[in-house]
Amino acid sequence: MKKVKVRLGNNSYHIHIGSGMLEQTGQRLKENGFTGSLVIITNPIVKGLYGDTLEQNLPKEGFRVTILQVPDGEEQKSLEVAGRLYNELTDSFAERTTPILALGGGVIGDLAGFVAATYLRGVPLIQLPTTLLAQVDSSIGGKVAVDHGQLKNRIGAFYQPRLVIADTATLKTLDTKTLSDGLAEVIKYAVIQDKGLLIYIEDNLDKIRALDDRALEEIVFRSAKIKTEIVEKDEKDLGLRAILNYGHTVGHAIESASDFTVEHGTAVAIGMLAAAKISNRMGILDKNELLRLNRLIQRAGLPTKMPDLKVEEIIQAITHDKKVLRGKVRFILPKSLGSVFITDEVSLSLVRQILVDWNEET
């Protein structure tokens, strides 16, 4: 087991990473001062996989458990579903000290986190991420949100969890596609800040994709450490934290333009390549670095071809991105693999041209 501390003053918390951690949930909650009732928000698929483990473990530690379920899918991240959960929390007599446990992937973590941040002006949030994407990214750092008007994460808050428990054994139930989606975020961390992690992924990708325990724990731990270091310096996303959006400016636009039929990891992978192509066209990123990134994304089981979407719809979604500042779109571009910079000097005409030329070049 590995542990990372997120140091945010009164909002500090620990991330516990390792195989079999879900069975220790009750013990970890008691260590953090929780007793009595709790509410688990999950979906039917995840409940079927891990609900029994928690329903057996938590009562042994003295907890009374209520499980609320929402269907699987990005479309559940909405104000309407949040409103239904508020009603169910009220019916369950949830109080201001009742922790909400978000058991699932990024959708559940974002939705349950948003509900926890807003119900009774905030109840304790525990993240129990069960996908690679959630373990390395969305469960850490306190960004919670729902989608609105076809725009991803449009309504949200900064609300730090009290505890994150990342059980890497849950990754062994993921299909190949879902694991690859999570690898997109791991590659993101390597490109923005840690070339050593990039080399580790390149050298150990076969083990990672074969779900080797040590390799999975290592990439979750190293990714969590990178995100933690950035969040500690910029909790409210006023500067440095923007680098965590590498690949997300074009990526989120692709998700929106596809009505969320393109998975997040796929969109981020293409978004990372888009940013790398922009940087290369601007004379910054070396062509060999671009090709190296392209090869790694392919090896990770992620597409490098642009989905069949209308370029103008992607451009329009980019202009509505929440990272737009004073009318200018901010891009995170790689200077080299392991180092990025933030700029608002990327013309939309350049982005459009790269998207139009994409599949002929790749």
Side-chain angles (χ1 to χ4, degrees):
M1 191 269 283
K2 296 180 183 288
K3 187 161 68 172
V4 178
K5 183 171 184 180
V6 186
R7 293 176 172 82
L8 294 171
N10 292 335
N11 292 326
S12 297
Y13 55 95
H14 284 101
I15 305 165
H16 297 268
I17 301 162
S19 183
M21 293 298 303
L22 273 184
E23 295 172 5
Q24 302 177 27
T25 300
Q27 176 189 340
R28 301 297 175 194
L29 288 172
K30 288 173 69 176
E31 290 172 357
N32 282 266
F34 293 106
T35 58
S37 298
L38 56 80
V39 175
I40 297 171
I41 296 179
T42 189
N43 68 43
I45 297 170
V46 178
K47 182 182 182 296
L49 291 168
Y50 310 114
D52 287 348
T53 297
L54 291 173
E55 286 182 300
Q56 291 170 13
N57 166 260
L58 290 168
K60 289 179 182 176
E61 299 292 341
F63 290 98
R64 297 183 298 278
V65 180
T66 299
I67 297 183
L68 305 181
Q69 298 183 66
V70 297
D72 190 31
E74 178 75 26
E75 65 275 9
Q76 301 304 316
K77 261 177 61 174
S78 69
L79 289 172
E80 180 183 0
V81 175
R84 178 170 65 78
L85 288 170
Y86 296 144
N87 291 335
E88 293 180 2
L89 286 166
T90 300
D91 293 342
S92 302
F93 299 97
E95 301 175 353
R96 202 160 189 181
T97 57
T98 305
I100 287 178
L101 279 60
L103 175 67
V107 170
I108 288 293
D110 284 356
L111 172 64
F114 178 81
V115 169
T118 50
Y119 184 71
L120 299 177
R121 295 193 179 92
V123 300
L125 171 64
I126 313 298
Q127 291 278 9
L128 304 178
T130 59
T131 65
L132 181 57
L133 191 153
Q135 290 186 6
V136 302
D137 192 66
S138 58
S139 68
I140 306 166
K143 280 189 176 182
V144 297
V146 293
D147 303 335
H148 187 66
Q150 290 302 110
L151 293 172
K152 192 174 175 73
N153 300 331
R154 197 64 172 178
I155 301 173
F158 290 95
Y159 194 70
Q160 299 295 340
R162 297 279 291 276
L163 178 67
V164 179
I165 298 174
D167 187 343
T168 53
T170 64
L171 305 181
K172 298 197 172 186
T173 63
L174 301 180
D175 59 46
T176 302
K177 179 70 179 69
T178 305
L179 184 74
S180 291
D181 278 353
L183 279 173
E185 293 287 353
V186 179
I187 293 169
K188 175 195 80 175
Y189 287 115
V191 175
I192 65 174
Q193 191 161 302
D194 189 351
K195 193 163 188 176
L197 176 57
L198 185 83
I199 294 168
Y200 181 87
I201 299 166
E202 289 174 327
D203 291 346
N204 294 275
L205 192 53
D206 290 342
K207 288 183 180 179
I208 294 166
R209 298 192 73 190
L211 303 172
D212 176 80
D213 283 325
R214 186 171 295 180
L216 290 175
E217 186 174 293
E218 184 69 13
I219 61 170
V220 173
F221 173 68
R222 291 177 70 163
S223 298
K225 276 194 71 177
I226 293 169
K227 182 160 190 179
T228 293
E229 290 167 3
I230 294 169
V231 168
E232 287 174 345
K233 294 173 183 174
D234 182 19
E235 181 183 0
K236 298 297 177 69
D237 203 2
L238 300 175
L240 175 67
R241 186 168 175 166
I243 69 173
L244 292 170
N245 289 315
Y246 170 60
H248 287 63
T249 304
V250 172
H252 278 169
I254 287 171
E255 288 182 89
S256 296
S258 74
D259 291 333
F260 301 108
T261 57
V262 175
E263 291 87 352
H264 181 71
T266 294
V268 168
I270 295 169
M272 288 191 291
L273 281 176
K277 285 173 179 280
I278 291 167
S279 183
N280 175 253
R281 287 274 188 99
M282 293 172 67
I284 300 165
L285 183 70
D286 185 86
K287 181 71 172 180
N288 289 329
E289 297 261 84
L290 171 59
L291 294 173
R292 182 178 179 180
L293 177 61
N294 193 86
R295 283 194 300 271
L296 180 58
I297 286 172
Q298 282 185 316
R299 285 186 60 211
L302 291 157
T304 56
K305 295 283 188 181
M306 180 62 63
D308 186 18
L309 299 170
K310 293 181 180 177
V311 168
E312 287 308 314
E313 290 184 3
I314 297 173
I315 295 294
Q316 183 179 12
I318 288 173
T319 63
H320 287 287
D321 192 278
K322 60 185 182 299
K323 292 177 284 298
V324 172
L325 187 64
R326 290 186 286 275
K328 289 191 172 185
V329 180
R330 286 184 297 165
F331 277 83
I332 295 82
L333 303 180
K335 289 185 282 189
S336 62
L337 298 183
S339 176
V340 294
F341 67 102
I342 304 167
T343 180
D344 60 5
E345 298 300 321
V346 177
S347 70
L348 288 179
S349 61
L350 173 58
V351 179
R352 182 181 289 106
Q353 192 60 52
I354 283 172
L355 297 181
V356 168
D357 295 344
W358 191 291
N359 287 340
E360 284 73 26
E361 291 181 351
T362 305

